[in-house]
Amino acid sequence: MVEVVGEDITEKHRLPVRKLVAASVGNAVEWYDWTVYATFSTYIANALFEPGSKALLATFATYALAFFFRPLGGFLLGRFADTRGRRPAMILTIVAMAGASLAIGVLPTFGQVGWLAPVLLLVARIVQGLSMGGEVSNASAYLAEIAPSARRGRYSAFFYISTGSAVLIASLLGYSLNSTLGKAAMQDYGWRIPFVIGGVLGLVGLVLRRALDETEQFEDNKDKARRLTNPLMLTLRQHPKAVGQLIGFTMLSTLCYYTFFSALTPFAINTRKADDSDVFLALSIGTALFVVLQYPMGAIADRFGRKPQLLVWAAAIAVTSYPLSTLVRPGSANLIVVFCVGLGFYTAMTSIAPAIMSELFPTELRGLGIGAWYNLTVALFGGTAPLVVTALADAGASTIFFWYLTGAAVIAFFVILTLPETKGTDLR
């Protein structure tokens, strides 16, 4: 919820870089850990599941199941953040995610303990799912609440600068480890290295987040939030349009994210028989572009508006999804085009995602409102994306997925048409 104000966007302003980095680095660790699982899924399948043709499918089923704990984490940690503070909620999520990442890095193999291995993996992934459910909503709310109204797009851009940087690190690790260790060593121990690194990065994120101040928005509204009863139902009764809008554009956003950052890697390698190193190199280049474009796109949205930018994104994904899928084949050049075009268009959304989501709900419901409905949508559409791609590929119908993405883009386009323009407004 927003109120219009007249802040001058041309007025000189110094970004609180240290605070933005401190808030965003935790998000980077969260997304690094989440992405590493998908990036190294082939090796996880061979190490932790019963050998056979369905091992990779089982790995992605575990990936998908963990997503369904994200709405619960979003609800619990979102409510915790609305009543107890953004800062303690963000500290809790970084500790849980990093601990689970370290646990995955030292799990025994299927050959050593049998079915206990995938069970332990599932437990660690559930912890990560709960943690991620709270992380996205609370980090988004924090960035939006500390931002001046006319610069919320710029501040929001740091959210996916951190996310993209984390994915880039995971991708570069995949490329370098595959290039230097070879497949035998990667299968033996190499796939564990990124998860252990994730645990170490979590300590850095914890130290930085402990130094953050609480937001004034929270302090001014915490008593109101604590007096609310049944806040989830309040989001439906008082803000049903906002809930529907959040679900509509998040459906496309999460499909874009998991298509380009997760599902395309195993699809290109296992289905289209592209070289591992070519795929990791193309993803790395596309991700670097993704990071570089975040801040400029956030600034553009602050100047010209959120709505036109989102409409361009949805239309572009609708038009390019299937043509890009035909370029997923052996050869680094065409793979670079796929990742750069897809992720380049996606920045129109990601650069302002925290702003857009935070502007939908009042402060006393912001953490829970985003946390519950965003994560439910991500679980339904994003968490199942790699599983759907793999299942369709096994059935010889892999291109259907890209028509599925196109359909989501068309729906999102019409949902975005219903959004009010919120640039230059104050959060309520």
Side-chain angles (χ1 to χ4, degrees):
M1 299 292 291
V2 294
E3 297 173 353
V4 178
V5 297
E7 184 180 349
D8 181 8
I9 196 170
T10 63
E11 182 183 338
K12 288 186 178 180
H13 176 76
R14 183 185 296 273
L15 285 172
V17 175
R18 184 173 180 178
K19 183 180 289 189
L20 292 171
V21 170
S24 302
V25 71
N27 182 61
V29 174
E30 299 277 10
W31 282 103
Y32 167 88
D33 291 335
W34 201 263
T35 303
V36 158
Y37 183 94
T39 303
F40 293 89
S41 56
T42 301
Y43 302 110
I44 295 171
N46 293 332
L48 301 182
F49 289 87
E50 184 178 18
S53 60
K54 300 299 182 182
L56 184 62
L57 195 62
T59 304
F60 282 132
T62 303
Y63 184 86
L65 283 172
F67 267 81
F68 285 91
F69 285 86
R70 287 185 59 162
L72 178 60
F75 172 78
L76 295 176
L77 291 169
R79 179 61 177 162
F80 180 79
D82 285 341
T83 58
R84 301 300 173 184
R86 314 302 188 204
R87 176 181 173 273
M90 290 193 297
I91 289 174
L92 181 58
T93 59
I94 191 67
V95 170
M97 179 66 79
S101 178
L102 182 61
I104 294 174
V106 298
L107 282 179
T109 66
F110 188 91
Q112 293 170 328
V113 297
W115 284 103
L116 182 60
V119 170
L120 291 174
L121 174 65
L122 179 60
V123 171
R125 291 290 299 153
I126 288 172
V127 172
Q128 289 185 319
L130 291 168
S131 173
M132 181 57 84
E135 171 62 22
V136 176
S137 57
N138 297 329
S140 294
Y142 188 89
L143 287 170
E145 289 174 5
I146 65 172
S149 58
R151 293 176 173 83
R152 198 173 297 121
R154 292 168 168 85
Y155 278 55
S156 294
F158 279 81
F159 186 92
Y160 274 96
I161 288 175
S162 68
T163 300
S165 298
V167 175
L168 181 58
I169 292 171
S171 178
L172 289 173
L173 272 174
Y175 178 71
S176 60
L177 290 174
N178 272 286
S179 300
T180 57
L181 295 181
K183 288 193 174 182
M186 279 297 298
Q187 189 57 62
D188 185 27
Y189 66 88
W191 67 270
R192 298 179 182 274
I193 295 173
F195 290 101
V196 175
I197 291 174
V200 175
L201 290 175
L203 295 177
V204 177
L206 175 61
V207 171
L208 291 172
R209 283 195 162 177
R210 282 173 59 87
L212 286 174
D213 297 323
E214 191 54 78
T215 72
E216 291 184 12
Q217 286 283 132
F218 166 75
E219 295 291 355
D220 292 343
N221 290 274
K222 61 184 179 182
D223 292 336
K224 185 176 181 181
R226 291 168 185 172
R227 290 195 298 268
L228 296 178
T229 57
N230 203 358
L232 185 62
M233 289 305 299
L234 277 180
T235 63
L236 289 174
R237 287 201 302 266
Q238 298 182 3
H239 310 284
K241 188 175 181 180
V243 171
Q245 290 166 333
L246 179 61
I247 291 172
F249 62 68
T250 298
M251 174 180 63
L252 177 59
S253 181
T254 192
L255 281 173
C256 284
Y257 184 93
Y258 289 102
T259 295
F260 292 104
F261 283 127
S262 298
L264 273 185
T265 297
F267 171 71
I269 294 171
N270 298 316
T271 304
R272 295 292 176 85
K273 307 304 178 185
D275 181 75
D276 297 35
S277 296
D278 284 346
V279 175
F280 284 125
L281 176 61
L283 176 57
S284 298
I285 294 172
T287 304
L289 177 66
F290 179 81
V291 172
V292 169
L293 289 178
Q294 294 300 322
Y295 191 82
M297 294 300 288
I300 289 171
D302 280 339
R303 186 168 184 83
F304 298 105
R306 284 71 159 115
K307 193 169 179 177
Q309 193 160 300
L310 293 176
L311 289 171
V312 169
W313 159 63
I317 296 300
V319 170
T320 63
S321 292
Y322 182 76
L324 286 177
S325 73
T326 65
L327 295 178
V328 181
R329 56 178 185 266
S332 59
N334 49 287
L335 290 170
I336 290 171
V337 170
V338 171
F339 284 107
C340 285
V341 172
L343 291 174
F345 281 130
Y346 188 30
T347 61
M349 166 59 183
T350 57
S351 59
I352 55 174
I356 290 294
M357 293 190 295
S358 296
E359 290 161 354
L360 290 174
F361 298 99
T363 301
E364 67 271 15
L365 287 171
R366 186 167 296 125
L368 182 144
I370 298 172
W373 300 112
Y374 170 88
N375 284 292
L376 178 62
T377 309
V378 170
L380 291 173
F381 296 97
T384 57
L387 182 63
V388 171
V389 169
T390 304
L392 288 172
D394 288 348
S398 56
T399 56
I400 292 177
F401 178 82
F402 298 96
W403 289 114
Y404 171 48
L405 180 60
T406 299
V410 172
I411 293 171
F413 183 89
F414 287 104
V415 169
I416 292 165
L417 285 175
T418 71
L419 286 171
E421 181 52 65
T422 53
K423 78 178 182 72
T425 58
D426 275 341
L427 297 175
R428 193 181 69 181

